[in-house]
């Protein structure tokens, strides 16, 4: 395997006419933010454009986007954006890319496009869309694309086969090989085999479950477990899931109908997506099961099921607010909460904080660790091996996963007979060239996280986040002084105020004489006009040395005013 993880590479050479270039802009090293760009013949094909959800170490951040800098000067070259399915980590960043150029064509299945169009409506963008289905072939500039049905935890997922004069690639998107899917739509292995016979120069395949041996459990095994929980529940039931997990919602609706319960959707994205899925026929609600959330007060608790967002511990999602008693819906003794989703790496602490909050209120919490209330939507190692043997690709590029997932996927590829030198392990920003049937990393482009913070996009930097972490962990101290504008001598202060620091402000009385002495010394040493910035740094250093004795490292904000 070629793995450019340990060192940085130079910028890539100029793209040759006989070469197809692939640049992952997200999804390689994280579970989320999935996006890849294919460059050939002066045109670009974008595959997926998703978001990554922030971790605790990124306070205040709402979403993390792929870095679009590579595209900003070539927006007119983008032939299309192909979307493999409708999960947020594959479509969530589309509005932010279309802000740069609203008329870039969007290509995807009907349900995927419906979810995207609903998001774009909130951003006041009317997109150009082309709905495709499995078996369809379309050309976008120099890219000939064929779409293949794949099974995932959302209906209508597609893989895409991209062919150019320089070679071909097969991009799976997220997929698994559930042989008994709820909607009867299996991963089309016959198409995979046919494309393998035709020739796949580069196989870009989902790595999320590559460390897991065997085959991923079928969705049908979840139904009896959910039914059993419903059968024994005596009070309210709350089910938390991704807002686009149509299959899981269908199972909840079926169980509710069987046990004479009514289901209300809670959370804006859940209400929006399930309305779309129902209108398009992907979600079949039994008669009289669905009710408006405003009417749950008209029913006894043993007739209520709430289907809500927040399965990843998001503090502002419905379940997190319920756990924090900051929602009109409450849970208590006898209620059952089901977390019907897997843990995205990095979200463990947030999720279990919500679990603990719910249990402290008296609710029983059922999650993947205690019962089979969720199965993964990603292919395990046995399924990946099956695909490698069917397709027999010349080169493999693991995508969609953390570094450990990518490496595990690469090892599976090698075990199937793919030569080690043909397994390309890349990271976000790597530049992979495919030429004469050989794929290799030829350089890299600058690539970083782009943070969405409220209404700002890309304005928050890593330095800002470091400051926020310091403020949240150590607090801050402000030091204020007034000096004579001519002489620089101290007129008033210093005044010291601390916030988020355990010690009382009175503790800092001891350091004030040291600040005065240091200021006087600094003023005496200045020969030109008094420099207030230098005096501020003097105060910062004195206070910094003092608080270090207290074994604290708060942010220190010195202010010197001339009068």
């Amino acid at each position: 395997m070629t793995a450019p993880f340990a060192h940085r590479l130079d910028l890539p050479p100029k793209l040759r006419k006989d070469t197809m270039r692939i640049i992952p802009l997200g999804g390689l090293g994280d579970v989320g933010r999935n996006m890849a760009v294919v460059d050939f013949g002066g045109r670009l094909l974008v595959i997926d454009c998703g978001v990554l959800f922030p971790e605790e170490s990124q306070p205040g951040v709402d979403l993390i986007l792929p870095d679009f800098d590579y595209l900003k000067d070539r927006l007119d070259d983008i032939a299309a954006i192909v979307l493999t399915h409708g999960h947020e980590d594959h479509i969530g960043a589309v509005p932010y890319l279309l802000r740069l150029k609203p008329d870039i064509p969007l290509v995807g299945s009907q349900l995927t496009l419906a979810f995207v169009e609903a998001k774009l409506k909130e951003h006041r963008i009317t997109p150009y869309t082309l709905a495709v289905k499995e078996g369809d072939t379309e050309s976008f500039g120099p890219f000939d694309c064929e779409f293949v049905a794949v099974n995932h935890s959302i209906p209508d997922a597609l893989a895409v086969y991209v062919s150019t004069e320089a070679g071909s690639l097969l991009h799976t998107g997220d997929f698994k090989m559930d042989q008994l899917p709820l909607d009867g739509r299996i991963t089309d292995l016959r198409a995979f085999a046919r494309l393998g016979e035709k020739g796949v120069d580069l196989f870009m395949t989902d790595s999320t479950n590559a460390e897991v041996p065997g085959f991923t459990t079928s969705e049908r095994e979840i139904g009896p477990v959910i039914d059993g929980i419903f059968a024994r529940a005596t009070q309210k039931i709350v089910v938390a899931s991704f807002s686009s997990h149509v299959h899981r919602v269908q199972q909840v609706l079926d169980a509710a109908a069987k046990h004479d319960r009514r289901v209300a959707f809670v959370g804006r994205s859940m209400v929006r997506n399930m309305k779309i899925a129902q209108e398009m026929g992907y979600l079949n609600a039994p008669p009289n099961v669905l009710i408006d959330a405003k009417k749950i007060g008209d029913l006894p608790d043993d007739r209520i099921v709430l289907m809500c967002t927040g399965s990843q511990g998001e503090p502002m999602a419905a379940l997190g607010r319920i756990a924090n008693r900051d929602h009109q819906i409450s849970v208590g003794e006898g209620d059952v909460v089901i977390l019907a989703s897997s843990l995205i790496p990095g979200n463990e602490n947030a999720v279990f904080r919500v679990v603990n909050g719910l249990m402290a209120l008296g609710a029983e919490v059922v999650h993947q660790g205690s019962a089979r209330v969720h199965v993964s939507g990603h292919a395990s190692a046995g399924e990946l091996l099956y695909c490698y043997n069917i397709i027999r690709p010349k080169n493999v590029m693991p995508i969609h996963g953390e570094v450990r997932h990518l490496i595990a996927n690469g090892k599976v590829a090698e075990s199937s007979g793919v030569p080690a030198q043909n397994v390309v392990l890349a990271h976000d920003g790597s530049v992979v060239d495919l030429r004469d049937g050989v794929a290799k990393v030829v350089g890299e482009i600058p690539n970083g996280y782009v943070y969405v913070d409220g209404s700002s996009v890309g304005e928050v930097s890593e330095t800002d986040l470091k400051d926020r972490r310091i403020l949240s962990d150590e607090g801050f101290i402000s030091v204020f002084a007034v000096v004579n504008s001519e002489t620089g001598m101290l007129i008033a202060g210093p005044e010291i105020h601390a916030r988020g620091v355990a010690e009382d402000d009175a503790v800092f009385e001891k350091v004030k004489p040291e600040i005065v002495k240091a200021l006087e010394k600094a003023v005496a040493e200045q020969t030109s006009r008094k420099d207030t910035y230098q005096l501020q740094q003097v105060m910062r250093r004195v206070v910094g040395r003092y608080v270090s004795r207290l074994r604290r490292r708060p942010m220190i904000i010195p202010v010197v005013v001339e009068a």
Side-chain angles (χ1 to χ4, degrees), residues 56 59 465-475 500 552:
E56 291 180 328
L465 294 183
K466 181 180 178 182
D467 289 345
R468 291 179 182 182
R469 288 192 290 269
I470 292 173
L471 287 170
S472 65
D473 294 339
E474 302 286 349
R552 301 300 299 271

Side-chain angles (χ1 to χ4, degrees), residues 22-38 45-53 63-68 71 81-95 97 112 116 152 154 158 171-175 204-209 242 344-345 377-378 397-403 405-406 409 426-429 447-450:
I22 300 95
I23 308 101
L25 297 183
L28 275 64
D30 296 303
V31 178
R33 206 171 63 112
N34 299 291
M35 184 175 183
V37 177
V38 185
L45 183 72
V46 176
I47 302 177
D48 287 332
C49 187
V51 297
L52 176 68
F53 294 100
L63 297 171
I64 305 172
L65 308 179
D67 191 338
F68 298 146
L71 300 174
I81 301 172
V82 173
L83 302 172
T84 60
H85 64 281
H87 279 152
E88 286 294 304
D89 58 335
H90 291 257
I91 67 170
V94 169
L97 181 54
T112 302
V116 174
H152 186 41
I154 185 174
L158 294 169
H171 188 297
T172 65
D174 287 350
F175 85 109
M204 300 172 66
T205 182
D206 181 11
S207 305
T208 311
N209 261 9
F242 292 119
I344 293 176
H378 304 272
M397 180 176 167
I399 58 172
H400 301 175
E402 297 181 347
V403 171
H405 302 134
L406 304 179
N409 195 353
H427 55 69
D428 295 340
N447 183 278
Y449 283 175
V450 176

Side-chain angles (χ1 to χ4, degrees), residues 76-256:
D76 291 337
D77 294 339
I78 301 176
I81 301 172
V82 173
L83 302 172
T84 60
H85 64 281
H87 279 152
E88 286 294 304
D89 58 335
H90 291 257
I91 67 170
V94 169
Y96 299 94
L97 181 54
L98 291 194
R99 282 184 186 182
L100 305 178
K101 193 174 189 296
D103 61 348
I104 301 173
L106 298 179
V107 182
S109 65
Q110 284 190 328
L111 183 64
T112 302
L113 292 179
F115 282 176
V116 174
E117 288 168 346
K119 294 176 67 66
L120 289 170
K121 188 175 182 180
E122 296 179 0
H123 290 258
R124 298 181 180 179
I125 297 174
T126 302
Y128 291 84
T129 61
L130 173 65
V132 294
K133 61 183 184 301
E134 54 266 29
D136 285 353
T137 58
E138 297 285 348
S139 294
F140 309 102
F143 307 103
D144 296 327
C145 298
E146 178 177 343
F147 299 91
V148 180
V150 292
N151 178 249
H152 186 41
S153 56
I154 185 174
D156 254 9
L158 294 169
V160 58
Y161 178 76
V162 181
S163 178
T164 70
E165 293 178 2
S168 62
L169 66 84
L170 176 59
H171 188 297
T172 65
D174 287 350
F175 85 109
K176 60 179 177 177
M177 290 165 51
D178 190 341
Q179 299 303 297
L180 296 170
L182 297 180
D183 59 1
R185 186 175 178 271
I186 63 173
T187 294
D188 191 348
L189 298 179
R190 292 178 301 174
F192 276 10
R194 176 176 52 79
L195 294 173
E197 290 292 331
K198 186 177 181 181
V200 174
D201 293 315
L202 181 63
F203 188 33
M204 300 172 66
T205 182
D206 181 11
S207 305
T208 311
N209 261 9
E211 290 184 309
V212 180
F215 284 64
T216 301
T217 305
S218 173
E219 292 280 347
R220 289 188 185 271
E221 294 194 20
I222 305 302
V225 179
I226 292 177
D227 183 74
I229 296 172
F230 275 52
R232 64 176 174 77
T234 59
Q235 295 293 317
K236 183 189 305 126
I237 298 174
V238 179
V239 184
S241 179
F242 292 119
S243 62
S244 53
H245 202 331
V246 179
H247 293 326
R248 192 68 69 246
V249 174
Q250 184 68 63
Q251 290 172 316
V252 170
L253 293 180
D254 292 342

Side-chain angles (χ1 to χ4, degrees), residues 203 205 384-393 396 409 412-413 416:
F203 188 33
T205 182
L384 294 174
L385 183 60
Y386 206 97
C387 288
Y388 288 130
N389 286 332
I390 287 175
I391 296 169
R392 290 295 178 187
V396 170
N409 195 353
V412 174
S416 74

